[in-house]
Amino acid sequence: MNFKFRILFLTLLSSLSLWSNEAMGTSELRVQLQYPTQVNDFILTEVENGSLVLRPVGRDVGSRVYLELEDLKRARVVLNFLFPKEYYDAIEQMELRNASRALPALRRHSSPLLDYLALSSLPGNLQPAVISYIDVLSATGEWKDAVDVAMRIPIPDSSPQALRRIGKLAFELQENGEAAELDRLQNYITSYETLPREQLEVLMDLGDQWRESGEYLKAYKLYRIIQSNEGPDQIQARLWVAYCSFYLGHKIVPRVFLDTLPDMETSDPGYSLWELIQARIRIENGDFTNAMRMVAEGKMYSSAADPWYPELLHTLAILYGELGLTEASVSAHREVSTLFPNSKWAAESLSILDNNQI
């Protein structure tokens, strides 16, 4: 049956019995399908083999129509679930920070949506409603339930907004000491090997946040996914894999990832990071002379806007001290603490200066 013929059937649902099928384990929900030229209200009974199973609004007389998800995408259909006033009152309570008052209604109206997350790739209000549910569970400290909901969201089909909310939940779990739930959620996030570009960009942001907070293992696992997918962040992610691997104490992995990089030009965005990582490896091996050459090269082709620049300056200060250039070391440590007072590298440089460790 071609798609135009399916649309014709939509206008005849009240009088035609198309297919019969009992919903299995899912809730029947009122939905609205918005086509570019028309709007239709239905009862969604289930999702079966990539198709929405619908019946007419009103008494169930056994009529069913199957609309393939891919057909709906091509037709630019928007799927909206229709909620009662109670649901929107609960959203208003959330905006007023009355999460405990909002939870019962949001749980009642959002829980049935979890059976339909296979439809996440369709535009509409499905994912925003599920995100609101995660919001209220998080705000009330229902951490296990929040993770359960997040793990129902199919990440490859999710919106970047949904993936950001899942990532935010991970940081909330960290802040609240929910280690077991955090591990469960992180394992789910990193269970996908191939993702669309928009999702990879979100993972890159999440990896950067974990790395900046010193959670190198969590960042490492996210960067590993990005570096294995073609995209604009692939090389940068591979550099960060090597960087995190170094700080995790790996002896071979950092070198392997650096050696498998394509030749880098001084104009490449990650060139100075590449030099910094190599310098760090050489410092570990006591090769301060070559490390100094690499850091100096990296500093020449870096800028203060690069997230690794404070560490580059701190490393330069360390190497000046190791090579007996005391005044230059003191000056470089002071530069770090002056230019980047809130960075961990400023704190380390100030500690060295205060304790006369040069």
Side-chain angles (χ1 to χ4, degrees):
M1 180 182 294
N2 62 37
F3 186 71
K4 290 183 178 179
F5 196 45
R6 290 178 185 275
I7 297 299
L8 177 60
F9 269 149
L10 292 178
T11 65
L12 301 174
L13 279 175
S14 60
S15 58
L16 293 178
S17 177
L18 301 177
W19 293 276
S20 293
N21 191 11
E22 292 296 324
M24 300 296 291
T26 57
S27 301
E28 290 193 343
L29 299 176
R30 182 86 174 259
V31 297
Q32 191 172 77
L33 271 63
Q34 299 179 0
Y35 295 86
T37 58
Q38 68 184 68
V39 176
N40 300 101
D41 287 0
F42 298 101
I43 302 297
L44 176 61
T45 66
E46 65 176 316
V47 178
E48 182 182 290
N49 298 325
S51 295
L52 285 70
V53 184
L54 303 156
R55 69 171 178 84
V57 175
R59 186 170 63 88
D60 186 358
V61 296
S63 300
R64 296 292 186 270
V65 63
Y66 290 66
L67 296 181
E68 291 183 11
L69 183 57
E70 293 305 317
D71 284 345
L72 294 172
K73 290 180 189 176
R74 284 191 288 271
R76 294 179 290 120
V77 171
V78 175
L79 172 68
N80 283 318
F81 290 78
L82 303 181
F83 299 110
K85 181 177 181 297
E86 180 188 39
Y87 174 85
Y88 295 103
D89 289 343
I91 294 295
E92 184 177 348
Q93 290 298 320
M94 279 292 293
E95 293 172 352
L96 296 173
R97 300 184 184 279
N98 294 326
S100 58
R101 293 183 62 181
L103 177 59
L106 288 182
R107 191 192 299 275
R108 185 160 48 252
H109 295 292
S110 298
S111 294
L113 301 179
L114 303 182
D115 292 327
Y116 294 105
L117 283 170
L119 307 177
S120 292
S121 57
L122 282 178
N125 65 356
L126 173 58
Q127 289 194 69
V130 173
I131 289 172
S132 294
Y133 189 26
I134 294 175
D135 287 342
V136 74
L137 291 170
S138 173
T140 54
E142 301 281 348
W143 299 116
K144 182 182 183 304
D145 286 352
V147 172
D148 286 342
V149 172
M151 290 177 63
R152 296 282 296 274
I153 297 175
I155 290 178
D157 294 326
S158 71
S159 65
Q161 178 190 12
L163 183 51
R164 287 191 195 96
R165 186 60 186 91
I166 294 172
K168 180 184 176 184
L169 176 60
F171 289 104
E172 290 168 344
L173 293 167
Q174 173 90 342
E175 291 170 4
N176 286 275
E178 296 288 335
E181 294 303 326
L182 174 57
D183 286 345
R184 199 159 63 94
L185 183 61
Q186 286 293 102
N187 288 338
Y188 176 66
I189 295 172
T190 57
S191 65
Y192 293 95
E193 296 181 358
T194 304
L195 292 171
R197 178 172 294 186
E198 287 184 333
Q199 277 80 355
L200 292 174
E201 290 173 357
V202 175
L203 287 190
M204 191 73 176
D205 290 341
L206 295 176
D208 290 345
Q209 292 178 59
W210 283 121
R211 172 181 51 77
E212 290 166 5
S213 66
E215 293 286 343
Y216 295 118
L217 181 58
K218 292 181 177 64
Y220 173 86
K221 290 180 178 180
L222 294 175
Y223 290 136
R224 284 294 302 267
I225 297 170
I226 301 160
Q227 67 86 30
S228 64
N229 285 264
E230 293 288 339
D233 292 324
Q234 186 177 34
I235 299 301
Q236 190 69 46
R238 186 168 294 183
L239 286 167
W240 284 129
V241 167
Y243 177 94
C244 292
S245 182
F246 172 79
Y247 279 107
L248 288 169
H250 300 165
K251 298 302 182 183
I252 298 175
V253 176
R255 187 74 265 166
V256 169
F257 274 89
L258 291 179
D259 289 345
T260 56
L261 282 169
D263 292 337
M264 299 198 74
E265 303 292 335
T266 57
S267 59
D268 291 337
Y271 177 79
S272 56
L273 175 59
W274 180 63
E275 293 283 18
L276 171 63
I277 299 168
Q278 292 195 101
R280 280 293 189 182
I281 293 172
R282 280 159 179 77
I283 290 173
E284 192 81 0
N285 296 327
D287 186 359
F288 302 122
T289 300
N290 280 320
M292 173 61 83
R293 178 178 58 79
M294 291 170 176
V295 168
E297 178 85 355
K299 186 173 183 293
M300 182 183 302
Y301 294 103
S302 187
S303 75
D306 291 329
W308 55 87
Y309 192 76
E311 184 178 358
L312 202 58
L313 287 182
H314 177 78
T315 305
L316 184 64
I318 292 291
L319 287 167
Y320 278 140
E322 292 290 350
L323 296 173
L325 303 172
T326 303
E327 290 186 9
S329 180
V330 169
S331 177
H333 279 302
R334 285 176 177 163
E335 185 179 4
V336 179
S337 59
T338 300
L339 294 179
F340 307 98
N342 298 320
S343 73
K344 63 172 286 188
W345 305 108
E348 293 196 16
S349 283
L350 285 173
S351 177
I352 289 171
L353 291 173
D354 290 344
N355 292 291
N356 298 313
Q357 292 177 335
I358 299 176

